[in-house]
Amino acid sequence: MRKLLVIIPAFLMFALMNNGCKGGDQKSQDDSSATSTEADEKSGDPSNYDPKRGEGKFDESNVTLGAVDAVMADRGKAISDTKCFSCHKTTDEKLVGPGWKDVTTRHNPHWIMNFITNPDPMIEKDPKVQAQLELCLVRMPNQSLEDQDARDILEFMRRNDGAK
């Protein structure tokens, strides 16, 4: 009886974790080729992917930086406390996902905003994200962030990295 009390919860935990990693929108294999074609048409040819820009609506024209805005950084920290820090740390230490230390020196601001607002296409196309996925083994979920939320998080990341 004691063995069952250990085995059953362990099995249920494995089943829940395995299902959660696959994402909530599962389709049959027959649907996957149609979905890939639709996604390629919406996002453009995957061979045209720019790893410095990422996949999404943000680029140099709509993400401009100045001095760190303390109010935005504070809002970004509050959002991160609820949506990000269960998987990320502000240091270089890996938790579930990679640590955030120096992320703003490794990636362009628009790349960061594209990734945190639209992670799925970038997971499929970006070589650095794919390499990180191999280390972390967990896909970053889409947190359904608003554009301003993403900008606030970026500002918090900049402050965390010592930007002035």
Side-chain angles (χ1 to χ4, degrees):
M1 182 67 170
R2 283 188 175 181
K3 286 182 182 179
L4 284 177
L5 291 176
V6 172
I7 292 172
I8 291 173
F11 176 76
L12 290 174
M13 182 72 144
F14 174 76
L16 287 172
M17 288 176 57
N18 191 32
N19 189 36
C21 291
K22 291 179 182 174
D25 216 21
Q26 295 181 8
K27 298 184 179 189
S28 69
Q29 285 186 342
D30 295 338
D31 292 339
S32 65
S33 61
T35 304
S36 295
T37 303
E38 291 169 13
D40 290 345
E41 288 173 6
K42 287 180 185 174
S43 64
D45 184 357
S47 64
N48 292 333
Y49 178 75
D50 179 0
K52 291 185 180 183
R53 181 183 166 285
E55 181 77 28
K57 62 182 167 182
F58 299 106
D59 59 25
E60 300 87 6
S61 70
N62 56 13
V63 180
T64 55
L65 304 179
V68 172
D69 183 315
V71 173
M72 289 174 69
D74 289 343
R75 285 193 313 242
K77 182 183 182 317
I79 296 164
S80 299
D81 283 341
T82 59
K83 295 214 175 214
C84 308
F85 291 156
S86 59
C87 295
H88 298 281
K89 290 189 173 195
T90 57
T91 64
D92 59 359
E93 183 181 355
K94 175 178 129 3
L95 191 56
V96 174
W100 282 5
K101 183 175 177 21
D102 296 329
V103 70
T104 60
T105 61
R106 291 190 308 268
H107 298 288
N108 293 325
H110 45 275
W111 185 97
I112 293 169
M113 289 186 62
N114 282 329
F115 185 60
I116 63 178
T117 58
N118 195 29
D120 295 321
M122 290 182 63
I123 291 169
E124 300 302 322
K125 297 175 184 177
D126 194 282
K128 286 184 180 179
V129 175
Q130 291 171 351
Q132 196 67 53
L133 180 59
E134 287 182 24
L135 294 172
C136 296
L137 304 175
V138 177
R139 292 174 66 95
M140 177 158 148
N142 189 331
Q143 295 288 340
S144 301
L145 294 170
E146 300 292 326
D147 293 352
Q148 186 60 53
D149 294 341
R151 182 62 182 88
D152 293 343
I153 292 170
L154 172 65
E155 205 66 5
F156 171 69
M157 289 174 161
R158 293 180 63 220
R159 182 172 70 187
N160 185 62
D161 286 344
K164 304 259 187 258

